Structures are given as C-alpha cells and as structure tokens.
Amino acid sequence: MRKWRSKKWQRRMALRLDYNYMMSDFIGVKHGIEEKDLAGLGEISGRVHLALKEKREKGRIGFFDLPYDRETAAKITAFAKPALKRFENVVILGIGGSCLGARALHTALAGGWWANLAGRKARGRIPRFFFADNVDPEGFSRLMNAAAPKKTLYLAISKSGTTAETMSQFLIVHKLLEKEVGRKKVAEHLVVLTDAQQGRLRNIVDREGLTDFIIPDNVGGRFSVFTPVGLLPAALMGIDLELLLAGAAAMDQRTCREDFLSNPAYLAAALLFLADRTRGKYVTVMMSYSDALWDVADWFRQLWAESLGKKLSTSGNAVFTGLTPAKALGVTDQHSQTQLYMEGPFDKVLVFLAVESFACRVPIPALYPELPDVHYLGGHTMEQLFTAERLATEYALAQADRPSFTITLPEVNPFTVGQLLYLLEVQTAFAGGLYNINPFDQPGVELGKHYTYGLMGRSGYDGKREEFENRQPKKDKYFL
Ligand code: PA5
C-alpha cells in the first residue's frame, strides 16, 4: 500500500488554519473580527454555498471535480515518462493562468531555479524548466539561448489560442524548430495545450498533427492548475500526480461542507471579506515562510486579483470591488516590508504560509563564546530560527493590532501542496459569491488586449489603433 493511501498519514498531513490573530479577543474590536460578525454571515454564506454547489453539479464550474479526473492524469503520465528521460529542457510558452500554476509547482516540489543549476543526476533526472511568460525581447532571447532546441520540449499553453504573447512565442519557436530539427520533427518537440474545439491553436494542432492535451471548457486559466496546464508540467518534473490530486481531493472533502465555520476555504474568504467590509482592510499580503511556497504566493496573487477585481456585480451594478494581493517572503521581507506592516496604515491582512517540518536539518555551530550576541545562536538549527522568526512576527503584528491568519503545511510534499492550491481556489470562488461578483471572468483585461491588437495590425482592430493614435497626449505638456 502506498503511504498516501493510509488514513493516518493523510490525517497527519492535513493543512491547518489558525485564525486567532484575526479575532477581536486578540487584537481588539477596532481591527479584529468578532464572533457575531462571523455569525452574521451565516445566511449569505449558505446562499453562496448553494449557488456554487449547483454550478458544480451542472458542470458550469469545472475546477471542483478535477482532482477525480484520473483518466487525464494517466494519459499525461504515459506521455511524460519517456519525455522526461529524453529531454534536457522543458520550456513553457504561456502566460497568466497558463503559466503560474506550473511555476508554483516547480518551485514547491521540483527545486525551482536551483534545480536548473544542478546536474541532471542531482535534479533527480528531470529536465530543467523554463517559463517564458513575457515578451521582453532580452529575457526571451536569453531563455532561448539557454535551452538548445534539439534537447528541448516546448509546451505551448493557451486556452484561447489568441493570446498575443504566447502566440508570438509559439511562432518564434516553431520557426526555430523547423531550422534546428527539421520540419518533420517539429511535432516531437512541440506539444500544445488548448481548448477542445475553439481557438487558433486547435486549428494548427489538427493541421500539423501535433500532440495536444485539452484544457476543459468549463475551467478558466487561473483555476486550471489541476488540468493538463499544471499536471503535464508536473509530470515532467517527476511530481507524483496521484499524490497531488489526492491532496486536492482531501481538501475537497473539507471545502465542500456547507457550514462555513468548519470549512477552511469558506472561513478564510469570510475573514478576508469581513476585514475589508467592516474594518477597511483591502490588502491581502500572502507571506510565505518557505522558499518552496514563494511562487504559490505569486500564483495566488493572480487568482485573487483577477477573480475579485470587478467593476460590475452579478446584477450589473457598478461596485468596483477587489482585494489587492501582495506577496512577501519570510524572513527576507521582515527586513523590507515588516516596518510597513507594523506601523503603516491599518489596511492589510497578513496570510502566513507556514511549514511545520522541513526536509533538512541545518545545525548552527556554536562558535565565538566570547561574543554572547552571536554565540547564543549556536546549538540551534536554522529550522528553529526560521520558525521562531515567524512566530515572533505573527505575535508582534498582533501586539500592534494587525490581523493575520496562518495556513500550516505539516511538510511540503505533493499531497500538502495539492491541498493548498485547491483550498485557495475554493476560497476565491466563495469570496466572489460574498462580494456578489463573477470571479470567473476578466473583462478588464480585454480592453488593453484590443488596443494591442490594433497597434500590431490584427484585422478587425483598426478602429482601436486609430482611437489610440488620435488620443495620444501632446508631448509639449506634462512631459519632461
Ligand atoms: O486566468 C486567466 O483566464 C488568464 O490569466 C489566462 O490564463 C491568460 O490570459 C492566458 O490566456 P490563454 O490561456 O487563453 O492564452
């Protein structure tokens, strides 16, 4: 029996949510949530729960059921097994929700950019991973030079197939492969992840016979980490997909509960919603006390911002909602951001990511007995110092009446990371319901895209280019 099948191991690996420092008992009524505030959400939370449940059952929101799609996981594993042996590098061509989940998984579970520096054996015989989620010509050129095409597998990930950044990268890579490996072998190096029917990439896949994986229609980009968008890269990183999905499924057992006080995702959303609406705290700082979880905070930043930042309510009224996400790294940012968090405006909630047990123990040697201010560190471990710094920061913030809560992972492994990502997705979906907005669309991103299309000469967007050009500010005013 594999260890994750044991109920005992799963119970030991369950994520914990400690929200004491959100509550008025610890930080006072002015900044802390009272139990009666939470009780007051009972009715709306019941309504939001039922609406989400119905949409899940009708298949309108697809991310909820992804942990149970073992067929896709098996298909991905079968593809990845020989590929991860064959290729020295994997390059992800994608942006936003089509990239950030894979990067979070790589940093959390496959060694992150450190792994790219190590030799193949030290990396556990997995390829090096690169994420081309920008079109800065210098950055992209450096990346292209770092990965020799003959030894590289490129994953072009775009649900729509029209994203200018990803499609420009795709065109460049396609041409490069034609030159470097020959037209006939392009398909061996280029895999496409896109929508089943729509999208320009689907058209190209069918014409050129490229290997492809489907991004389900009912799953939006930023909720797609448990589709092939996250799972294919994960498999190529050597991550145990079964364990990752088992973690997500275990969290689903907790986050499908109607009672929001015993549902960690609903409760986290409710706390952040109340802190905003009743105490004016509209900034959510996710502070990871784990290098491995740093890019989870980055992934969450997109999920939270793009899902909740909305002009219109579901009934079409202008509401201009949103919680501004920020990310911070413990302890690094204690020497950069904590001064602001302690003494600046009372506009933030800190969400700490904590790890209980680290994979290695680093003892600190007891040197320089004649220097007591340095010597006291000796005999401890770095893990003890790291944990003490987190506990001290959480406590100090509470002393300054700054609300925070902590999500603790017993250790960083695919099962706990699967739980964490799923938790944050449900938290976001539920928060959207509390704010009465649609967390699954992103109309505000479209306008900028349309002007870009106009400037780049895409047909049908001439009007946008003309409008842009005619309304440019005069350079003799407000200009240095
Ligand atoms: O969350 C989202 O929907 C977005 O961030 C998209 O993932 C991003 O814009 C990329 O879109 P696409 O996958 O269509 O290229």
Side-chain angles (χ1 to χ4, degrees):
M1 183 194 283
R2 294 180 54 181
K3 65 178 181 177
W4 64 266
R5 289 188 199 277
S6 119
K7 286 267 174 301
K8 197 170 153 208
W9 185 85
Q10 288 205 4
R11 265 199 306 277
R12 196 158 61 74
M13 288 297 141
L15 260 57
R16 300 191 301 271
L17 177 69
D18 179 345
Y19 62 104
N20 277 289
Y21 291 156
M22 285 300 291
M23 303 303 289
S24 57
D25 307 31
F26 287 92
I27 61 169
V29 186
K30 192 166 173 204
H31 298 290
I33 308 294
E34 293 181 90
E35 283 187 20
K36 67 171 194 259
D37 297 326
L38 281 171
L41 279 190
E43 199 200 317
I44 176 175
S45 107
R47 252 187 291 128
V48 175
H49 169 77
L50 287 180
L52 288 176
K53 189 165 171 267
E54 194 186 316
K55 285 186 186 141
R56 177 180 187 165
E57 284 164 2
K58 288 190 172 155
R60 282 166 56 198
I61 305 179
F63 85 85
F64 282 119
D65 290 320
L66 293 171
Y68 308 99
D69 182 4
R70 298 300 159 96
E71 203 182 306
T72 301
K75 189 179 161 208
I76 287 171
T77 308
F79 172 84
K81 244 184 175 168
L84 66 80
K85 284 198 193 113
R86 173 176 172 189
F87 293 104
E88 184 65 25
N89 313 296
V90 173
V91 175
I92 308 273
L93 311 173
I95 197 162
S98 290
C99 173
L100 295 170
R103 179 158 32 209
L105 290 170
H106 189 245
T107 307
L109 300 169
W113 64 274
W114 288 104
N116 283 358
L117 297 179
R120 192 169 174 94
K121 197 169 165 207
R123 275 201 309 274
R125 304 203 179 282
I126 60 161
R128 299 190 299 163
F129 261 80
F130 299 95
F131 302 88
D133 61 344
N134 205 349
V135 287
D136 178 320
E138 292 177 10
F140 188 70
S141 301
R142 267 189 222 117
L143 192 157
M144 287 291 103
N145 291 337
K150 284 190 179 122
K151 296 179 177 175
T152 302
L153 178 67
Y154 299 88
L155 307 183
I157 310 179
S158 178
K159 190 174 173 190
S160 62
T162 53
T163 304
E165 298 85 347
T166 306
M167 292 315 292
S168 64
Q169 294 169 350
F170 176 84
L171 297 173
I172 294 166
V173 164
H174 200 291
K175 183 94 189 149
L176 182 72
L177 283 172
E178 282 175 27
K179 183 169 160 254
E180 294 287 327
V181 303
R183 215 183 165 81
K184 283 198 185 127
K185 288 196 169 171
V186 169
E188 289 179 24
H189 291 260
L190 190 54
V191 170
V192 169
L193 287 77
T194 193
D195 191 274
Q197 269 122 32
Q198 295 164 12
R200 307 297 175 270
L201 269 172
R202 170 62 44 206
N203 194 291
I204 296 170
V205 166
D206 294 344
R207 238 178 323 138
E208 298 188 6
L210 300 177
T211 302
D212 73 302
F213 289 87
I214 289 168
I215 307 176
D217 191 37
N218 58 0
V219 182
R222 56 194 176 275
F223 290 87
S224 68
V225 67
F226 296 114
T227 71
V229 173
L231 296 186
L232 177 59
L236 291 163
M237 293 168 201
I239 294 170
D240 184 334
L241 297 192
E242 262 190 274
L243 200 48
L244 185 75
L245 293 173
M251 184 51 73
D252 180 37
Q253 299 307 305
R254 298 173 70 187
T255 55
C256 68
R257 291 180 196 149
E258 179 168 2
D259 169 31
F260 81 102
L261 293 174
S262 65
N263 177 326
Y266 288 6
L267 184 61
L271 290 167
L272 291 164
F273 172 75
L274 283 171
D276 172 35
R277 282 291 157 94
T278 66
R279 311 291 196 278
K281 299 178 197 310
Y282 58 87
V283 181
T284 309
V285 182
M286 181 170 276
M287 187 160 187
S288 167
Y289 274 78
S290 157
D291 285 352
L293 300 177
W294 172 233
D295 280 324
V296 170
D298 196 50
W299 168 84
F300 173 71
R301 198 165 60 119
Q302 186 222 0
L303 182 66
W304 203 233
E306 209 163 280
S307 302
L308 301 185
K310 297 289 152 69
K311 175 177 166 184
L312 298 178
S313 71
T314 51
S315 32
N317 298 321
V319 284
F320 301 103
T321 65
L323 288 168
T324 302
K327 58 173 189 163
L329 182 66
V331 303
T332 308
D333 285 324
Q334 283 177 211
H335 298 266
S336 161
Q337 304 293 302
T338 302
Q339 171 63 31
L340 172 74
Y341 302 160
M342 286 289 289
E343 296 187 358
F346 285 88
D347 57 0
K348 299 172 194 64
V349 176
L350 272 287
V351 178
F352 292 106
L353 297 181
V355 175
E356 195 171 55
S357 169
F358 291 87
C360 41
R361 195 176 163 275
V362 181
I364 305 172
L367 306 179
Y368 305 112
E370 71 285 9
L371 298 175
D373 292 350
V374 174
H375 182 71
Y376 76 96
L377 292 166
H380 290 293
T381 63
M382 227 170 213
E383 182 181 347
Q384 285 172 329
L385 176 63
F386 202 33
T387 302
E389 296 224 33
R390 175 176 58 76
L391 293 173
T393 302
E394 288 169 359
Y395 181 73
L397 283 163
Q399 292 308 295
D401 298 341
R402 311 292 168 144
S404 73
F405 63 88
T406 302
I407 301 170
T408 302
L409 282 69
E411 64 185 39
V412 176
N413 64 39
F415 186 75
T416 57
V417 171
Q419 289 178 68
L420 179 61
L421 298 177
Y422 195 86
L423 165 80
L424 295 170
E425 288 184 340
V426 180
Q427 172 188 316
T428 305
F430 188 75
L434 293 179
Y435 281 102
N436 191 28
I437 51 93
N438 178 4
F440 301 108
D441 65 2
Q442 54 283 328
V445 184
E446 296 307 311
L447 191 58
K449 280 190 192 171
H450 292 173
Y451 289 120
T452 305
Y453 295 151
L455 292 175
M456 294 298 287
R458 182 171 166 185
S459 77
Y461 293 87
D462 296 347
K464 288 284 176 228
R465 193 195 62 244
E466 280 159 26
E467 178 202 324
F468 178 90
E469 285 172 357
N470 292 339
R471 301 196 63 189
Q472 282 306 291
K474 300 264 174 300
K475 295 285 193 257
D476 54 356
K477 208 175 167 200
Y478 309 128
F479 191 79
L480 292 181

CSV table of all heavy atoms in Angstrom, one decimal, residues 95-98 157-161 163 166 220-222 302 306 442 449, ligand 1:
chain,number,residue,atom,x,y,z
A,95,ILE,N,1.1,32.3,-20.4
A,95,ILE,CA,1.1,33.5,-19.6
A,95,ILE,C,-0.1,33.4,-18.6
A,95,ILE,O,-1.1,32.8,-18.9
A,95,ILE,CB,1.2,34.8,-20.5
A,95,ILE,CG1,1.6,36.0,-19.7
A,95,ILE,CG2,-0.2,35.0,-21.1
A,95,ILE,CD1,2.1,37.1,-20.5
A,96,GLY,N,0.0,34.1,-17.5
A,96,GLY,CA,-1.1,34.2,-16.6
A,96,GLY,C,-1.4,32.8,-16.1
A,96,GLY,O,-0.5,32.0,-15.7
A,97,GLY,N,-2.7,32.5,-16.1
A,97,GLY,CA,-3.1,31.2,-15.6
A,97,GLY,C,-2.5,30.0,-16.4
A,97,GLY,O,-2.6,28.9,-16.0
A,98,SER,N,-2.0,30.3,-17.6
A,98,SER,CA,-1.4,29.2,-18.4
A,98,SER,C,0.1,29.1,-18.1
A,98,SER,O,0.8,28.4,-18.8
A,98,SER,CB,-1.5,29.5,-19.9
A,98,SER,OG,-2.9,29.4,-20.2
A,157,ILE,N,1.0,26.7,-24.2
A,157,ILE,CA,-0.2,26.6,-23.4
A,157,ILE,C,-1.1,27.8,-23.6
A,157,ILE,O,-0.7,28.9,-23.2
A,157,ILE,CB,0.1,26.4,-21.9
A,157,ILE,CG1,1.1,25.3,-21.7
A,157,ILE,CG2,-1.2,26.1,-21.1
A,157,ILE,CD1,1.5,25.0,-20.3
A,158,SER,N,-2.2,27.7,-24.3
A,158,SER,CA,-3.1,28.8,-24.4
A,158,SER,C,-4.5,28.3,-24.7
A,158,SER,O,-4.8,27.6,-25.7
A,158,SER,CB,-2.7,29.7,-25.6
A,158,SER,OG,-3.6,30.8,-25.7
A,159,LYS,N,-5.4,28.6,-23.7
A,159,LYS,CA,-6.8,28.1,-23.9
A,159,LYS,C,-7.4,28.7,-25.1
A,159,LYS,O,-8.1,28.1,-25.9
A,159,LYS,CB,-7.6,28.4,-22.6
A,159,LYS,CG,-8.9,27.7,-22.6
A,159,LYS,CD,-9.6,27.9,-21.3
A,159,LYS,CE,-11.0,27.3,-21.4
A,159,LYS,NZ,-11.9,27.6,-20.4
A,160,SER,N,-7.2,30.0,-25.2
A,160,SER,CA,-7.9,30.7,-26.3
A,160,SER,C,-7.2,30.6,-27.7
A,160,SER,O,-7.7,30.7,-28.7
A,160,SER,CB,-8.0,32.2,-26.0
A,160,SER,OG,-6.7,32.8,-25.9
A,161,GLY,N,-5.8,30.4,-27.6
A,161,GLY,CA,-5.0,30.4,-28.8
A,161,GLY,C,-4.9,31.7,-29.5
A,161,GLY,O,-4.4,31.8,-30.6
A,163,THR,N,-3.9,34.6,-27.4
A,163,THR,CA,-3.0,35.5,-26.6
A,163,THR,C,-1.8,35.9,-27.3
A,163,THR,O,-1.0,35.0,-27.7
A,163,THR,CB,-2.7,34.7,-25.3
A,163,THR,OG1,-4.0,34.3,-24.7
A,163,THR,CG2,-2.0,35.6,-24.3
A,166,THR,N,1.8,34.6,-26.0
A,166,THR,CA,2.0,33.1,-26.2
A,166,THR,C,2.1,32.8,-27.7
A,166,THR,O,3.0,32.0,-28.1
A,166,THR,CB,0.9,32.3,-25.5
A,166,THR,OG1,0.8,32.7,-24.2
A,166,THR,CG2,1.2,30.8,-25.6
A,220,GLY,N,-11.4,28.0,-16.1
A,220,GLY,CA,-10.7,29.2,-16.5
A,220,GLY,C,-9.2,29.1,-16.2
A,220,GLY,O,-8.8,28.3,-15.4
A,221,GLY,N,-8.4,29.9,-16.9
A,221,GLY,CA,-7.0,29.9,-16.8
A,221,GLY,C,-6.5,29.8,-15.4
A,221,GLY,O,-5.7,28.9,-15.1
A,222,ARG,N,-6.9,30.7,-14.6
A,222,ARG,CA,-6.3,30.8,-13.2
A,222,ARG,C,-6.8,29.7,-12.3
A,222,ARG,O,-6.3,29.5,-11.2
A,222,ARG,CB,-6.5,32.2,-12.6
A,222,ARG,CG,-7.9,32.6,-12.6
A,222,ARG,CD,-8.0,34.1,-12.3
A,222,ARG,NE,-9.3,34.6,-12.3
A,222,ARG,CZ,-10.0,35.0,-13.4
A,222,ARG,NH1,-9.3,34.9,-14.6
A,222,ARG,NH2,-11.2,35.4,-13.4
A,302,GLN,N,-2.3,36.3,-8.7
A,302,GLN,CA,-3.2,36.5,-9.9
A,302,GLN,C,-4.6,36.0,-9.6
A,302,GLN,O,-5.6,36.6,-10.0
A,302,GLN,CB,-2.6,35.6,-11.0
A,302,GLN,CG,-3.3,35.9,-12.4
A,302,GLN,CD,-3.6,34.6,-13.2
A,302,GLN,OE1,-3.2,33.5,-12.8
A,302,GLN,NE2,-4.2,34.8,-14.3
A,306,GLU,N,-7.3,38.9,-10.2
A,306,GLU,CA,-8.1,38.8,-11.5
A,306,GLU,C,-9.5,38.3,-11.2
A,306,GLU,O,-10.5,38.7,-11.9
A,306,GLU,CB,-7.4,37.9,-12.5
A,306,GLU,CG,-7.7,38.3,-13.9
A,306,GLU,CD,-6.7,37.7,-14.9
A,306,GLU,OE1,-5.6,38.2,-15.0
A,306,GLU,OE2,-7.0,36.6,-15.5
A,442,GLN,N,-12.8,38.0,-16.7
A,442,GLN,CA,-11.8,39.0,-16.6
A,442,GLN,C,-12.0,40.1,-17.7
A,442,GLN,O,-11.1,40.4,-18.5
A,442,GLN,CB,-10.4,38.5,-16.6
A,442,GLN,CG,-10.0,37.6,-17.8
A,442,GLN,CD,-10.5,36.2,-17.7
A,442,GLN,OE1,-10.7,35.7,-16.6
A,442,GLN,NE2,-10.9,35.6,-18.8
A,449,LYS,N,-5.9,44.5,-24.4
A,449,LYS,CA,-5.6,43.5,-25.4
A,449,LYS,C,-6.0,44.0,-26.8
A,449,LYS,O,-5.3,43.9,-27.8
A,449,LYS,CB,-6.3,42.2,-25.2
A,449,LYS,CG,-5.6,41.2,-24.2
A,449,LYS,CD,-6.3,39.9,-24.3
A,449,LYS,CE,-6.0,39.0,-23.1
A,449,LYS,NZ,-6.8,37.8,-23.1
B,1,PA5,O1,-6.8,33.4,-15.7
B,1,PA5,C1,-7.0,33.7,-16.9
B,1,PA5,O2,-8.0,33.4,-17.5
B,1,PA5,C2,-5.9,34.4,-17.6
B,1,PA5,O3,-4.8,34.7,-16.8
B,1,PA5,C3,-5.4,33.5,-18.8
B,1,PA5,O4,-4.9,32.3,-18.3
B,1,PA5,C4,-4.3,34.2,-19.6
B,1,PA5,O5,-4.8,35.4,-20.0
B,1,PA5,C5,-3.8,33.4,-20.8
B,1,PA5,O6,-4.9,33.0,-21.6
B,1,PA5,P1,-4.8,31.9,-22.6
B,1,PA5,O7,-4.6,30.6,-21.9
B,1,PA5,O8,-6.1,31.9,-23.4
B,1,PA5,O9,-3.6,32.2,-23.5
